[in-house]
Amino acid sequence: MDDHISTLHDVFAATARRHPELPAVELSASSISYAELERAAEALAESITAAHGRVRSVALLAARSGVAYAGYLAALRLGAQVVPLNLKYPPRRNTAICELADVDVIIADASGQQWLEHCPSGTRPARPVLPLTDEALLTAVPDESLPPSSAGPDDIAYLLFTSGSTGRPKGVPIRHRNVLAFLAHTVPRYEVGPGCRMSHTFDLTFDLSVFDLFVTWGGGATLVVPEAAELLSSVDYAVNRRLTHWFSVPSAVSAAAGLGALPGGRVPGLRYSVFCGEQFTYAQAEAWSGFASESVVENIYGPTELTLACAEFRLPKERGDWPETVNDTVPIGAVYPGLEYVVTDEGELCVRGPQRFDGYLDPRDNINRFLGLDDQAGLDGRAGHDDQAGDALSEAYYYRTGDRVRREDDGTLVHLGRLDNQVKIRGYRVELGEFEALLRRHPGVREAVVVPVRHRDATELMACYTGEPAREAELRRTLAAGLPVHLVPHVFLRVESMPLNPNGKIDRAIVAKLVAEQAKLTRP
């Protein structure tokens, strides 16, 4: 990044100066140039200041609209943290987020205003709301009354919330410098520049949406915003909107394949296809590579706390050159340059460096999430104790991802699953990912999820799959070829499509409920 760029707003503003006439955002029926979006954001920032004075935290109750993107930039222009809310979330969760983030004002587009109108009594966030429409915002003219932004690289750019183990939302503050480090690596890697047309599959509450927005705007490309119907058909979206860059969760591939919508070679203009958010199976990679035969296909990995992604693996062009993995998933490859990692004896990946966040909004959530390193003895066990409940965490600490990896002889990392996906069944420790890989090898099975379920007085493995219907005896034989008989799942549930959470990932909790219900029906 240029020396004068110290915030995400600077990233956009620098591109707007270079390419004011280029389209920054393409909606279904119109496009917004960089100059137009910058004017709208400046005018909105002025309006917020006039109505509410200095603000430190701005919530966005908006999705895939000019208001959403101008609102994001306006908050950054004011040096405030952006707090995205989700129209799919229940009111109580959005209200809780507003309280935890100490939100000063909520920017709402037309869909956000409708959401607010339908909030049950007593559940609406108790914060001032600035209602806006694209038409009004994009015709506003700033009066240039705002002083230069005082925001710097150490300020918080956005605050996202994940589902904590306690049941309350867990706040993850990400600073400008964390994102700038990510962009410095990513924008040139994917050759993003004027003329590129970028996908936008992620909601703003998912940190991967920051890739959509700022990798696009950092390179002077166009964010191609899908309509709701287009999100249901990723293939048509990529083809009809002439995308050059695709970025999504791997489940989008399975959804398209399930509809029989991945014929070979349909998008010769697609140059890069990047997947993140969950394990990327070789079956999914093969299906997408056939559909986008000219595209580079890459798997990236990283938790929100490490700013979008921290590791990458680019698939070789020829299928025969793809490395074998124990669970038939694409490796996560190598950690980004500038980051450091260690793998604990338990196989947990721990990472530090400029993309590592500085700790959770609630310092109590830092307990057991970081590892210290002793100069002589290696992992020293200090981290995770009460001394980590302070506001500042030393850069020397590694973030504990909670993910198990395997390091191959060449240094390539393979993601094996969450630490809690290694379960003990009848005294044996088993990797659910290996079970799922075996099940996917059965002819006609597309996706497979294996979960531990408490049934009667024991924990058993049960499986859920998509694809062609298969006899349970055949599925058991497939698994028995690679597993001890007593570990083969007893319940197999076929579904048309896997249940997904709001971020588009497979929802294992719902899968567990579905197979548990199936067990009750078939094995009273």
Side-chain angles (χ1 to χ4, degrees):
M1 286 290 166
D2 296 341
D3 292 339
H4 67 281
I5 292 178
S6 59
T7 69
L8 282 181
H9 185 270
D10 292 341
V11 170
F12 178 85
T15 299
R17 287 193 297 271
R18 292 194 307 270
H19 306 293
E21 75 292 346
L22 291 182
V25 175
E26 180 183 284
L27 302 170
S28 58
S30 62
S31 65
I32 307 170
S33 72
Y34 277 90
E36 290 170 331
L37 189 54
E38 185 176 41
R39 283 197 299 271
E42 188 77 8
L44 178 52
E46 292 172 354
S47 297
I48 294 171
T49 300
H52 304 283
R54 185 180 180 186
V55 296
R56 299 179 181 275
S57 187
V58 176
L60 291 180
L61 191 59
R64 295 188 170 86
S65 63
V67 170
Y69 310 120
Y72 208 118
L73 291 167
L76 296 174
R77 170 67 175 86
L78 294 171
Q81 63 183 10
V82 179
V83 183
L85 305 177
N86 198 314
L87 299 170
K88 301 172 188 173
Y89 286 168
R92 293 191 186 278
R93 179 174 173 84
N94 280 335
T95 297
I97 287 172
C98 287
E99 294 292 333
L100 291 167
D102 197 16
V103 164
D104 295 301
V105 62
I106 299 173
I107 297 172
D109 63 6
S111 58
Q113 295 166 51
Q114 187 177 36
W115 184 91
L116 287 167
E117 290 171 2
H118 288 87
C119 283
S121 176
T123 63
R124 176 174 171 148
R127 291 293 188 273
V129 176
L130 184 58
L132 292 165
T133 64
D134 281 13
E135 183 179 13
L137 182 58
L138 294 172
T139 56
V141 179
D143 59 20
E144 301 182 2
S145 60
L146 289 180
S149 174
S150 60
D154 289 329
D155 290 316
I156 296 171
Y158 58 86
L159 176 60
L160 299 179
F161 287 83
T162 62
S163 297
S165 58
T166 62
R168 60 177 170 80
K170 185 166 63 174
V172 185
I174 300 295
R175 301 180 189 277
H176 291 277
R177 56 176 160 78
N178 300 137
V179 194
L180 296 180
F182 173 80
L183 295 178
H185 173 70
T186 307
V187 174
R189 181 171 179 82
Y190 302 122
E191 301 179 291
V192 180
C196 292
R197 297 174 59 79
M198 315 288 286
S199 68
H200 182 31
T201 67
F202 295 103
D203 289 335
L204 296 182
T205 45
F206 197 170
D207 65 324
L208 298 180
S209 66
V210 177
F211 180 112
D212 293 351
L213 273 60
F214 289 96
V215 170
T216 296
W217 295 337
T222 301
L223 183 69
V224 182
V225 181
E227 292 184 312
E230 289 179 301
L231 283 173
L232 299 175
S233 177
S234 55
V235 170
D236 290 339
Y237 171 39
V239 173
N240 297 338
R241 302 293 289 275
R242 308 185 314 283
L243 299 182
T244 61
H245 291 65
W246 177 266
F247 185 44
S248 78
V249 291
S251 294
V253 180
S254 297
L259 296 173
L262 281 176
R266 280 194 61 186
V267 281
L270 195 61
R271 293 162 46 198
Y272 286 93
S273 300
V274 185
F275 296 91
C276 190
E278 58 189 349
Q279 287 181 328
F280 186 27
T281 68
Y282 274 138
Q284 292 167 328
E286 280 192 87
W288 189 266
S289 296
F291 160 66
S293 56
E294 302 302 314
S295 177
V296 171
V297 177
E298 186 155 293
N299 186 35
I300 65 175
Y301 156 86
T304 301
E305 292 84 350
L306 291 169
T307 312
L308 284 81
C310 63
E312 61 201 359
F313 182 83
R314 184 163 292 181
L315 276 172
K317 191 68 175 176
E318 298 299 323
R319 177 64 179 90
D321 295 331
W322 294 4
E324 291 186 11
T325 60
V326 67
N327 56 2
D328 290 345
T329 65
V330 180
I332 60 173
V335 168
Y336 286 1
L339 301 179
E340 300 176 89
Y341 78 96
V342 293
V343 178
T344 68
D345 291 343
E346 294 75 28
E348 183 178 14
L349 178 64
C350 306
V351 182
R352 69 181 179 185
Q355 290 181 215
R356 196 215 73 187
F357 80 141
D358 289 340
Y360 293 101
L361 182 64
D362 184 342
R364 293 174 297 177
D365 290 325
N366 294 334
I367 305 301
N368 296 322
R369 297 312 314 148
F370 293 85
L371 269 177
L373 192 67
D374 181 87
D375 289 340
Q376 289 78 34
L379 298 175
D380 64 9
R382 290 174 303 161
H385 297 129
D386 289 342
D387 61 349
Q388 284 187 59
D391 291 335
L393 286 165
S394 166
E395 295 178 358
Y397 283 121
Y398 291 82
Y399 176 69
R400 297 180 56 187
T401 65
D403 289 315
R404 295 186 69 252
V405 299
R406 173 174 174 173
R407 184 164 42 196
E408 304 292 357
D409 292 340
D410 63 357
T412 297
L413 299 174
V414 176
H415 185 270
L416 299 179
R418 297 291 296 170
L419 285 177
D420 51 13
N421 275 357
Q422 185 188 64
V423 298
K424 183 175 282 189
I425 303 292
R426 297 183 177 87
Y428 289 84
R429 289 219 167 263
V430 297
E431 292 283 357
L432 299 181
E434 295 182 24
F435 287 53
E436 292 164 354
L438 285 171
L439 193 53
R440 287 194 299 268
R441 293 172 189 170
H442 184 83
V445 171
R446 287 198 306 271
E447 297 174 281
V449 174
V450 176
V451 291
V453 175
R454 192 74 179 171
H455 184 68
R456 295 178 178 167
D457 292 324
T459 298
E460 299 182 4
L461 294 179
M462 301 183 185
C464 183
Y465 71 97
T466 66
E468 298 297 322
R471 295 176 59 189
E472 288 195 2
E474 295 173 352
L475 296 175
R476 289 195 184 96
R477 278 196 293 271
T478 294
L479 290 177
L483 297 172
V485 173
H486 60 277
L487 294 181
V488 173
H490 291 281
V491 172
F492 294 85
L493 174 65
R494 178 185 172 273
V495 294
E496 289 296 328
S497 60
M498 288 290 178
L500 305 178
N501 65 21
N503 290 335
K505 301 179 185 180
I506 293 174
D507 194 321
R508 288 179 173 267
I510 294 181
V511 169
K513 290 180 181 178
L514 292 175
V515 295
E517 287 298 320
Q518 178 73 3
K520 290 179 183 177
L521 292 173
T522 59
R523 303 168 60 203

